[in-house]
Amino acid sequence: MAAQVPVLGEIVGLKRESGSRRLASAAPSDIRLRNRTAIMRALYPKTWLSRAQLAKITGMSKVSTSDVVAELIKDGLLIEGEYKNLPRPGKPALDIGFNQDAGCVVAMDLSDSTHIRALAMNLVGGVLLREELDCPPQAVLDVEAIRELCNKVCQGCRSKVIGIAVATPGTVNDEGLVIEAPNLGWVNMDLPSVLADVADCPVVVANDADAAVFAERYFAGGSPDMILVQIAKGIGAGVLISDGIVRGRGFTAGEIGHVVMSGGTVPCVCGKTGCLETMVSVPVLDERISKDPDGRSGILDEAGQNLGRALAMPVAMTNITQIVLSGPRRLVDETMVQATQRSIDALARSRFMDAVHVQLSNLGEDAAMLGAAAMVLRKELSVL
Ligand SMILES: [Zn+2]
């Protein structure tokens, strides 16, 4: 069936508007696009509705609804399901649903430069296949290896690849240019151009913590107002406020790892002393625990308390309701979560401020890849 699925250029009608200012009155093409988006959103990801129900929900006329549904079925994006049993006599209504197999997104995670992971996902977040690649430790991550891995996954997809999504550490601008990723040895790496011809589809590149917070929101029922803290070689946070990712003018929002903490005494690679990263990162905690295995619980409790100290102010500043901790489960566990919760409660909670809920990531190590893929779905299909 893959051959019948339209390529992205053909379903461009679903793309979000951007660029020039619009006049007050909507052009017919705008109305058509809005109607297509409204129908898609009503059904995404797994809702089945009759044409009459769709018309009621979207406020469109029955004729317009039927026309748009027919167009989307023709494009391969919607499918017909079963007949509904109506409570009253009359013509039975046919259910319409979103076609999760209309295409797929290929996603990659570069957060561990020695172990790159990739997956292909259907259009509702279901993982179809996985590939991994071990890279030797090197000062600069080889983009050819990334291209090859990406190509391998794209070749393995049975449906049309509608977009490639890459989650990377470092700062990334709106065009997907990796401005700087010290852990990968990259400066101004134009990853979208590197991967442009792999599957002849759009390439979305996002900071890994930004991608992970997006995934927690859309694939794990997360709050529209939350902070995701990614604990890896470094520490980064993805900040979601009213469903918008906070990126900052220089795209460095959430880079909390090199903020100096009171009481910190360990010199940091950045030249300062006592950065959060010298207290909570994976290499630091692994090393401390390897030297003192019996002290593991106390070490992780202390890390959680320090994380809570760092997060108390942004929590009070933004009134976010959820904090998600993401990282290897051997370190980022319930002990760390509870210590973080206690610390924030003690520092920020008051009769004016409700408790923020601290929890582990529901998506584990797939979070960044699924989130970057979700960004493709938002950009190309407008369903999120
Ligand atoms: Zn530092």
Side-chain angles (χ1 to χ4, degrees):
M1 296 301 287
Q4 294 177 12
V5 174
V7 296
L8 215 42
E10 292 166 3
I11 51 176
V12 69
L14 287 163
K15 286 192 180 182
R16 291 190 163 203
E17 298 165 27
S18 62
S20 61
R21 286 167 177 239
R22 323 296 302 186
L23 294 172
S25 60
S29 61
D30 292 340
I31 295 168
R32 173 180 162 272
L33 186 145
R34 222 174 288 159
N35 289 345
R36 285 172 67 103
T37 305
I39 299 256
M40 295 272 285
R41 285 189 176 174
L43 298 173
Y44 189 86
K46 291 178 180 176
T47 302
W48 292 87
L49 296 169
S50 68
R51 288 171 174 82
Q53 287 172 315
L54 277 169
K56 206 171 172 185
I57 286 173
T58 59
M60 291 160 55
S61 71
K62 286 184 179 175
V63 173
S64 295
T65 303
S66 287
D67 286 351
V68 175
V69 166
E71 192 179 284
L72 288 167
I73 289 175
K74 189 164 162 267
D75 288 348
L77 288 162
L78 300 185
I79 44 175
E80 290 180 324
E82 294 176 354
Y83 282 98
K84 248 187 211 334
N85 286 323
L86 291 175
R88 53 186 166 68
K91 198 178 159 194
L94 192 58
D95 265 345
I96 307 294
F98 181 75
N99 182 10
Q100 63 179 32
D101 299 316
C104 67
V105 181
V106 169
M108 306 176 78
D109 183 0
L110 311 182
S111 49
D112 180 350
S113 59
T114 60
H115 186 68
I116 297 169
R117 297 181 310 119
L119 58 77
M121 179 189 100
N122 68 16
L123 298 186
V124 298
V127 176
L128 303 170
L129 66 105
R130 293 174 184 277
E131 289 288 346
E132 299 183 353
L133 178 70
D134 285 318
C135 298
Q138 52 197 340
V140 180
L141 180 61
D142 178 13
V143 286
E144 239 350 274
I146 296 171
R147 260 180 70 91
E148 273 173 37
L149 182 63
C150 188
N151 190 42
K152 193 172 175 187
V153 179
C154 289
Q155 295 298 324
C157 291
R158 293 173 64 186
S159 58
K160 171 77 186 171
V161 179
I162 71 157
I164 292 170
V166 185
T168 173
T171 49
V172 183
N173 74 7
D174 286 336
E175 282 73 49
L177 177 79
V178 183
I179 298 168
E180 190 164 9
N183 291 346
L184 307 182
W186 288 354
V187 175
N188 291 329
M189 173 60 74
D190 188 2
L191 215 45
S193 295
V194 170
L195 300 174
D197 62 346
V198 173
D200 194 24
C201 63
V203 178
V204 168
V205 180
N207 169 269
D208 48 4
D210 287 349
V213 81
F214 208 62
E216 290 291 334
R217 168 67 177 137
Y218 287 108
F219 295 129
S223 162
D225 299 280
M226 70 167 140
I227 293 176
L228 178 138
V229 182
Q230 197 169 51
I231 299 160
K233 191 172 175 186
I235 301 240
V239 182
L240 194 71
I241 303 280
S242 301
D243 272 338
I245 291 176
V246 179
R247 306 186 66 205
R249 188 160 288 273
F251 310 102
T252 60
E255 296 292 333
I256 58 174
H258 295 285
V259 175
V260 173
M261 302 285 291
S262 63
T265 55
V266 178
C268 181
V269 286
C270 74
K272 293 182 287 193
T273 297
C275 293
L276 180 63
E277 216 160 279
T278 67
M279 298 176 165
V280 188
S281 69
V282 166
V284 166
L285 294 175
D286 273 341
E287 192 188 343
R288 282 189 66 190
I289 291 170
S290 72
K291 286 178 182 165
D292 178 16
D294 294 340
R296 180 182 173 279
S297 179
I299 291 166
L300 297 181
D301 187 278
E302 187 189 313
Q305 286 188 48
N306 284 324
L307 203 50
R309 285 203 294 140
L311 293 172
M313 195 60 86
V315 164
M317 187 79 80
T318 58
N319 192 198
I320 57 123
T321 55
Q322 188 179 15
I323 288 176
V324 176
L325 303 189
S326 169
R329 282 294 161 99
R330 67 178 187 279
L331 302 172
V332 183
D333 64 357
E334 275 304 323
T335 301
M336 190 184 282
V337 164
Q338 285 171 21
T340 308
Q341 180 82 66
R342 278 200 316 277
S343 177
I344 294 176
D345 284 349
L347 295 170
R349 198 170 174 186
S350 70
R351 68 190 176 92
F352 309 111
M353 178 118 14
D354 290 337
V356 64
H357 178 64
V358 184
Q359 64 173 83
L360 290 170
S361 163
N362 286 316
L363 299 170
E365 58 179 11
D366 281 347
M369 281 189 284
L370 294 178
M375 289 177 180
V376 170
L377 296 179
R378 172 178 273 195
K379 192 175 173 194
E380 299 303 323
L381 300 181
S382 294
V383 285
L384 294 175

